[in-house]
Amino acid sequence: MTKLLLSLHVLASILAVGPITVAASMFPRYAKPPAPGDDGPHDHDLRTAAFLHKICRGYAVVGIAVPVLGLATGAQMGVLGDAWLVASIVLTTIAAALLMSMVLPGQRELLEEGEGEHLSGTGTGAGSGALTVAARRSAAARLAMTTGIFNLLWATVVVLMIVRPGSTTGA
């Protein structure tokens, strides 16, 4: 049973968290408007950004399986009190909170502002909240940083799961 739970936990991690980390990392580039006066090529594409946001939202729901299966695996292995697992649980909780409280709302805000600008046809950045282009570019940069922190948290959890410092169950 332990091998089955561990296999499902790893598969859920790869198939649910992986797409979130990639899509969330790509989102700011597509949601960020070009700098004023920049007539060169740019990646600003709200349809792509909306699709990436949809991926993040959808896989966030599926991603709930990762900690559930992880806790079941840890209980089956008798390691729920081990420091490496407790640290992983704390980091996973922080990553989930970051995703739900900052990354997804930040993406939604940038999309709403971009849609308002597109619909108004002004190109001034005057979307529904009247953020300027500079403010939207700054918000996209902050979102990229927050997403990077989210990704680093998950990378740290992966390392803890593999190395299991102090574990007596072998590595």
Side-chain angles (χ1 to χ4, degrees), residues 11-169:
L11 282 171
S13 298
I14 293 167
L15 298 176
V17 178
I20 295 171
T21 60
V22 172
S25 294
M26 293 173 63
F27 179 89
R29 175 176 48 191
Y30 291 101
K32 179 175 68 173
D38 182 9
D39 294 330
H42 54 80
D43 292 329
H44 184 62
D45 182 355
L46 290 178
R47 288 176 298 191
T48 302
F51 179 67
L52 293 169
H53 177 62
K54 187 175 182 178
I55 289 171
C56 291
R57 277 193 344 252
Y59 280 96
V61 173
V62 176
I64 294 169
V66 175
V68 170
L69 290 166
L71 288 171
T73 303
Q76 186 74 23
M77 293 173 65
V79 295
L80 284 179
D82 286 9
W84 64 271
L85 188 57
V86 172
S88 295
I89 291 168
V90 168
L91 293 175
T92 298
T93 303
I94 294 169
L98 198 60
L99 178 67
M100 300 309 289
S101 68
M102 297 183 77
V103 174
L104 293 176
Q107 289 178 348
R108 187 172 38 253
E109 181 180 318
L110 280 170
L111 283 174
E112 288 170 356
E113 289 296 328
E115 296 259 329
E117 175 185 324
H118 178 69
L119 292 175
S120 70
T122 62
T124 63
S128 59
L131 284 179
T132 64
V133 169
R136 287 186 45 230
R137 289 179 59 81
S138 179
R142 279 191 309 277
L143 181 60
M145 179 196 64
T146 305
T147 301
I149 293 168
F150 169 80
N151 291 342
L152 283 173
L153 288 167
W154 277 115
T156 304
V157 169
V158 168
V159 170
L160 285 172
M161 292 287 143
I162 293 169
V163 175
R164 299 186 292 172
S167 174
T168 58
T169 61

